[in-house]
């Protein structure tokens, strides 16, 4: 799991949190760790204390690829209002992330399932090329890179299997409004599988097995959407790593497990809900998705 | 099937159509007629010709409750731009509809499945109360009535079983943003079953059997969204009338048949696609919905 480890400050209609542990790599690693052993690649500053490292250690996440350097850890602050489908970024401080270009530890080089969280596509490609034994590589990106470094993003996309991206970004990347046609165009750029995240409306998977659409889980309260997309991707990749099989049936189950993890992530601020899950709760919500979607069984 | 028969003028990014047969009652009747015998209640002017009447007759739709009066038929013109999720109304002429308050023909009074299309709630209630043998009464409404005649709408809702409404309207009617909580509040107003239409994101059913969420069918082209909601409701009620059983399993299948009919409706302007369907196409798309949604079967 590659991406940022960050300190997030978040405000939503339900309250606020200051400088809590977050970042794509953190959400990816924590959610995937409920399914399979996880290795994390990121850079942190000397403001990251033992109590933060313990979050990874407690989940048995391998931190050999977590580079500690002098300076401050990446910081993001944002707020959610109205339908909470999109954050308004108030401030981004790249800090130690600015100079990050990791050489992976030898112990990581046999990794078979790789997810490149939302960072500079050149950095995603740099990591991806070190992982020559990867069976499945996923990538997340965002409007910032689609507009800012389209060529770099296309080079990275040419070398991955799965793109996980939100609806607006899929339209922006392809220049096509119709999602089915947008998906066809994007799949020609490299990834055979495309997962389009639709926020409160769920997720649609486009793959060689056809199209699969899953709703979001109806929740009583969505307190903090931060990390929902990364939690989806972590659950999705973690489940596939556990299954070890890339059939369409397993891809669909992975979409549901990803949706399960995203639904837990948003119930509370930051990582709180994700850290005190139980396998039983995860299975119960998976069954909840069956009850929510099945007809004519 | 109660509602307006109208002449629609529609402009979308795919083209335009002028004065084509439309209106809630028409879409409801035509789509339901693929599943069960249909009776229609509406008023039309003397500008409605034999060629328009033939649309009903060809589908064996009972027009005993179609009142012909002097004057012009209801007319609506609108356009769809951007994501085409909502029409911008350019003009509405109520015409003969303004004075409509039907006494149903005797031959209609044993109707068991009733759908009250989007018209003045007082008129919906006036019709509903004549149908004392109804087993299942559905109702559609819109922002215009939610804002304009909230008390009249609540009186009508108290006497129906199913409300079919779109997402924004569900939030407006309940005053609650969270859809799960909005649904709970709305179900306390009368309808035990609530269907929330989410446009290109599908449909969510809230009933005694729990929550069921179905995606919209991914289409290559959405040429004209006019009538999508009514086509959903027509397919939904038509299927329930055919099944004759109001179990949760049948309600879920009805949601899918409604979604099937809506997906056909939007493929072409006006009624075109709905009039040249075949039962085989309907079944094939129903199977398409299974392929789109099933996992862990």
């Amino acid at each position: 799991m590659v991406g940022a480890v960050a300190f997030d400050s978040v405000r939503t209609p339900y309250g606020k949190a200051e400088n809590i542990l977050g970042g794509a790599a953190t959400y990816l690693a924590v959610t995937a760790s409920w399914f399979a052993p996880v290795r994390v690649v990121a850079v942190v500053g000397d403001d990251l204390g033992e109590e933060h490292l313990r979050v990874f250690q407690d989940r048995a996440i391998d931190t050999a690829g977590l580079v500690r350097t002098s300076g401050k850890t990446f910081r993001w602050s944002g707020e959610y209002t109205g339908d909470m489908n999109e954050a308004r970024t108030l401030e981004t401080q790249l800090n130690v992330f600015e100079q990050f270009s990791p050489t992976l530890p030898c112990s990581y080089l046999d990794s078979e399932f790789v997810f490149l969280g939302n960072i500079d596509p050149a950095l995603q490609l740099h990591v991806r090329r070190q992982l020559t034994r990867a069976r499945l590589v996923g990538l997340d990106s965002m409007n910032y890179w689609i507009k800012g470094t389209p060529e770099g993003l296309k080079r990275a996309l040419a070398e991955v299997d799965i793109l996980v991206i939100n609806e607006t970004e899929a339209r922006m990347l392809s220049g096509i409004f119709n999602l089915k046609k947008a998906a066809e165009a994007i799949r020609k750029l490299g990834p055979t599988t495309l997962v389009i995240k639709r926020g409160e409306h769920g997720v649609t998977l486009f793959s060689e097995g056809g199209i699969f659409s899953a709703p979001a889980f109806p929740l009583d309260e969505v307190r903090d959407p931060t990390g929902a997309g990364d939690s989806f991707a972590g659950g999705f990749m973690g489940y596939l790593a556990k299954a070890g099989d890339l059939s369409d049936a397993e891809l669909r189950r992975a979409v549901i497990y990803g949706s399960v993890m995203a639904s837990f992530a948003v119930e509370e601020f930051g990582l709180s809900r994700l850290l005190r899950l139980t396998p039983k709760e995860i299975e119960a919500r998976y069954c909840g998705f069956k009850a929510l979607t099945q007809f004519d069984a």
Side-chain angles (χ1 to χ4, degrees), chain A residues 1 38-44 53 56-57 60-68 100 102-109 111:
Chain A
M1 294 299 183
V38 176
R39 295 160 173 168
V40 67
V41 178
V43 61
V44 295
L53 270 182
F56 296 96
Q57 287 156 358
I61 294 163
D62 188 340
T63 54
L66 194 69
V67 179
R68 304 200 67 167
F100 188 50
T103 300
L104 302 185
C106 299
S107 62
Y108 277 29
L109 298 182
S111 299

Side-chain angles (χ1 to χ4, degrees), chain A residues 6-27:
Chain A
F7 286 118
D8 290 340
S9 295
V10 184
R11 189 188 295 267
T12 86
Y14 287 89
K16 62 177 182 168
E18 303 269 355
N19 298 316
I20 54 172
L21 185 64
T26 311
Y27 281 100

